[in-house]
Amino acid sequence: MARSGAGGHYLRSTTANFDVSVLQAAYSMHCWARSTVAPNGGSLRPCVGYVGGSGGQVPQNLLLWDHSSAGFSHAAQHRRGGGTYDTAQTTTVPSTNTWYAYGVAFDSSTLKVYLNGTNETTDSSVGTSSTFASWLTALGQVNSLGALDGGAQFSNGEVAEVAVWKAALNADEFNALAKGFSPRRIRPASLVAYLPLVRDTLDLFGIALTEINSPTVTDHPRVIG
């Protein structure tokens, strides 16, 4: 079953033990996401990503459903080591009540965002990724005070099949994920975290997640094991 973020519910790793140093040169993230609210620049609604920092938590690399800044809405957000952000926004504005295969790939020089297996935008002016030790999150991220809570969360949204790789997946691999293939079948040697969000919130690879405020269990998108 997928997990819903309505009402301040979200998931995160139990500690800042998600070692993003292995993702500095290249990474990919993918999840299935849907929402009853269209991305309209109204509020910050991250689907999945990792957050962290020295002396306080800050957004690192995220897949955003919505954001109060128009250029970050339905986009991949990438934090450079120097603290600035790059984005790759989907050309398609996601509709409500529809599951989307949503992904991003970074290969040290380009940031590509994928929707339903299609590379919709490539940002070619991307800097080196930050390497803060981080929390892996789903449905929520840090708020402006640097605290991990539901202050910035994917309200009225659902995510499933969260996965992170220490490699930049290619178009064929994202297409396979969009067709319903499990992340376990996509470059398994580079898979560093897989969170199916079916029943228990224990991943098959990487780390376990903690449920905050008991996220609602909802129907899961179809996946080919």
Side-chain angles (χ1 to χ4, degrees), residues 16-123:
N17 60 358
F18 188 67
D19 183 6
V20 298
S21 63
V22 300
L23 309 179
Q24 184 178 25
Y27 67 83
S28 297
M29 293 189 292
H30 190 271
C31 70
W32 286 86
R34 71 176 175 183
S35 179
T36 59
V37 179
N40 56 13
S43 61
L44 181 55
R45 290 176 178 156
C47 299
V48 66
Y50 47 94
V51 298
S54 177
Q57 283 66 61
V58 291
Q60 298 297 307
N61 301 326
L62 303 167
L63 279 170
L64 293 158
W65 181 269
D66 201 7
H67 196 285
S68 55
S69 297
F72 286 76
S73 182
H74 53 94
Q77 171 186 298
H78 169 89
R79 179 182 170 88
R80 300 188 188 197
T84 58
Y85 290 95
D86 301 298
T87 59
Q89 188 175 46
T90 67
T91 55
T92 301
V93 178
S95 301
T96 59
N97 302 310
T98 303
W99 280 111
Y100 287 93
Y102 195 16
V104 58
F106 166 71
D107 66 0
S108 297
S109 61
T110 61
L111 186 70
K112 298 181 178 181
V113 66
Y114 288 81
L115 196 67
N116 289 341
T118 299
N119 173 209
E120 296 214 333
T121 300
T122 298
D123 182 354

